[in-house]
Amino acid sequence: MNDIRLLANGLVGNGFSYRGFQAGLDRRPHMIGCDAGTSDYGPGPLGSGRDIKPPASVERDLEIMFEGARRLGIPLIIGSCGVAGAAPHLEGYRRIVERLIADSGRPCRLALIHSDQDPVSLKAACAAGRVRPLGPVPPLTAAAIDASTHIVAMAGAAPFIRALDAGADVILAGRCTDPAIYAGLAMKLGASPAIAWHAARSIDKGMLATENVEEGSPVMATLDDTGFTVEPTKDGARCTVKSIAALTMYENPDPWSILQPSGRISAEHCRFEQIDERSVRVSGSEFFAAERPSVKLEGARPIGHRAAMLVGIRDPRLIAELDDYLDRFGTMIRRTARSLGIAEDSYRFRFLAYGRDAVMGMREPLRDSPPHEIGLLIDILAKDEADAIALLARASSTGAKLAPVRGIPAGGNFAAPFSPNQIPIGPAYEWSVWHLLDCADESDPFRIEIMDLQA
Amino acid sequence: MTRLADLAPGIKGRNAGAAWLTFDIPFSDRASYERALASGAISPRRIGEIYAIPEADVRIFPFAPALALKITIPRAAFAGGFDESDFDGAQQFAPILDIEIP
């Protein structure tokens, strides 16, 4: 097998070094890849169908990578377009790339990998026992499927290989695993699954593979028959054994078992060597094929509209009796809701006491250490925006005038940082689908669309 | 007294999927890694005490190539619901910074 070179950036819309990228192109890579997705931001992007990266940054990153790929005549592969990888996210990226193709003056074969799941087929899969919970979630029901605004499956390498076999110049994918965009091309060019997958996993966060992340350097993996080497492409950036090995661990519960649709990557018997001051050699990676493929499903459903308010509390008497105060405050909010005719089961609220236990909740070991100041977040979820704002506005005045401690006259409990202080958050979502779908062929859940676009 | 944060200042925490939290603890050098490992101070029992969870729910992986320990525990609640306060699980590692390493 000849060497395979994969040029990688981390996340579309987060930027990268232009100079480092051009230096990467000088090394004649076989592809350019960049992931665009994450579920780290919660269910909001998937539920709403909106990207959360700034459009100007997304366009800048795509334009530079597109130009480089077309100049070298190599595939550009973008994974999990628009953060969540559902139809509206993919459509946003398609529009940008179509404009780039039109501006380029050259024809281009564009492949779209659609990850959206059809509710009817998904219900059939549930009925056939092919859908399993991923973690502590209830079994998937038809009701949960119907309540979801978007449900996507995460593609592995196989759909990418199909798109490449069809001659795609640019592949825009809906939801997929981060390394799949590289592993597909590497295996198509002859790399073993173990080396392809582990190399892909080592570069799929782009500049995070380097020690000096602030340099924004793209990274390149060079694969051969016995392993792979990772290096940054910008002068001055460095990959170290620590920075590369850390990526194998990152965001995975278990470094010996990094799950993909077609099997699992294991670094248990791996060797990492620093071969010069900026490059790391990795060998001994393993890949264990699954008995049958399974893809992860993600879905989000709307749960209402949200409005919130952050206020400062400095009165030490109130802080000392905060739980009692919040009990009384909660009772007042429920009373207000009744007076406004807001049904009890149509809204929820919570208090987060920043400075005490807002971040860790019940797990906070220092909950009883007295703070001198509290940031109190009052968070209301209601069936529509009008109810949420009405409840919050009333809570704002009620809470401010409530006795800080029983028996002490109210003096104004809230220091407000904004005017007006109520913040409409908008529609809120939660994960409705977090499951695994067993499939006969890992490409089955995905629709590949190929189009020849003329400049 | 040496704390874990003195030997591994780059501790970070993240979600590993929506059901798990994982803490990556890269040590500054091999001596610190081996010292922490040999001390037994970072055990499922100790982590279980800190997070008030059964020690059987705590998984610890020594990963020598990265001179790192990885600790994985269940999230207090499945990520991303109405009550979520740390969508990415980014700040749940704080209490382990103070584990004493003999």
Side-chain angles (χ1 to χ4, degrees), chain A residues 350 352 354 357-361, chain B residues 75 81 83-87 92:
Chain A
R350 65 169 173 168
L352 285 177
Y354 284 93
D357 60 355
V359 173
M360 295 196 64
Chain B
R75 285 183 59 98
D83 289 318
E84 185 56 66
S85 62
D86 187 357
F87 275 95
Q92 305 301 313

Side-chain angles (χ1 to χ4, degrees), chain B residues 40-83:
Chain B
I42 304 162
S43 62
R45 184 172 176 176
R46 182 81 187 93
I47 300 298
E49 282 166 9
I50 291 172
Y51 289 93
I53 55 175
E55 65 175 272
D57 285 352
V58 179
R59 287 185 286 165
I60 300 180
F61 303 93
F63 193 38
L67 298 178
L69 280 177
K70 186 175 190 66
I71 302 176
T72 299
I73 64 172
R75 285 183 59 98
F78 193 72
F82 172 69
D83 289 318

Side-chain angles (χ1 to χ4, degrees), chain A residues 119-441:
Chain A
V120 175
S121 327
L122 202 50
K123 286 175 196 171
C126 288
R130 292 196 291 114
V131 179
R132 294 173 279 146
L134 180 57
V137 290
L140 188 57
T141 61
I145 293 169
D146 288 335
S148 304
T149 46
H150 298 286
I151 301 174
V152 291
M154 281 179 103
F160 290 93
I161 295 174
R162 289 197 180 189
L164 290 166
D165 285 344
D169 298 309
V170 176
I171 303 175
L172 296 178
R175 195 72 171 119
C176 61
T177 74
D178 297 356
I181 58 176
Y182 306 99
L185 180 129
M187 288 189 285
K188 178 178 158 64
L189 294 185
S192 75
I195 292 170
W197 278 110
H198 197 198
R201 185 70 188 109
S202 302
I203 59 172
D204 65 27
K205 304 280 178 200
M207 61 187 78
L208 289 192
T210 65
E211 201 175 62
N212 32 359
V213 173
E214 68 286 354
E215 293 287 335
S217 179
V219 290
M220 179 172 280
T222 303
L223 289 63
D224 55 40
D225 288 322
T226 59
F228 64 95
T229 303
V230 186
E231 66 197 298
T233 59
K234 184 184 177 191
D235 277 348
R238 290 179 308 278
C239 290
T240 62
V241 166
K242 278 187 79 168
S243 72
I244 295 300
L247 284 172
T248 297
M249 310 173 75
Y250 193 60
E251 290 178 335
N252 263 296
D254 179 343
W256 318 149
S257 183
I258 301 164
L259 296 179
Q260 296 296 322
S262 54
R264 66 181 174 92
I265 310 165
S266 173
E268 190 167 5
H269 303 110
C270 221
R271 268 181 39 152
F272 296 77
E273 298 160 78
Q274 193 77 44
I275 54 171
D276 59 39
E277 64 175 10
R278 58 202 301 274
S279 313
V280 173
R281 174 80 184 166
V282 183
S283 54
S285 315
E286 293 169 290
F287 187 83
F288 300 96
E291 267 178 47
R292 61 176 171 174
S294 57
V295 295
K296 183 187 165 198
L297 300 171
E298 294 175 350
R301 72 177 188 96
I303 55 172
H305 283 252
R306 204 163 202 166
M309 178 168 77
L310 182 67
V311 296
I313 298 176
R314 182 66 179 77
D315 182 340
R317 301 165 302 173
L318 195 165
I319 290 173
E321 300 284 334
L322 186 62
D323 283 327
D324 181 65
Y325 169 84
L326 293 177
D327 272 352
R328 290 183 287 124
F329 189 13
T331 303
M332 294 300 292
I333 291 176
R334 281 186 285 273
R335 189 181 296 170
T336 303
R338 281 196 295 277
S339 77
L340 291 171
I342 297 173
E344 202 173 328
D345 60 0
S346 75
Y347 74 95
R348 295 162 75 180
F349 65 88
R350 65 169 173 168
F351 305 121
L352 285 177
Y354 284 93
R356 187 181 67 174
D357 60 355
V359 173
M360 295 196 64
M362 298 299 285
R363 285 181 172 176
E364 176 55 65
L366 301 180
R367 189 179 193 275
D368 296 327
S369 312
H372 70 272
E373 181 174 285
I374 292 280
L376 182 67
L377 185 80
I378 302 161
D379 178 15
I380 293 182
L381 178 73
K383 70 176 191 306
D384 55 32
E385 186 171 10
D387 278 6
I389 294 285
L391 264 180
L392 185 67
R394 288 287 297 273
S396 169
S397 48
T398 308
K401 295 292 186 286
L402 200 60
V405 177
R406 288 172 199 246
I408 294 181
N413 300 319
F414 295 162
F418 306 122
S419 169
N421 200 33
Q422 291 96 32
I423 308 165
I425 309 276
Y429 301 88
E430 69 180 13
W431 296 117
S432 51
V433 184
W434 196 269
H435 292 76
L436 283 174
L437 169 67
D438 294 325
C439 31
D441 181 313

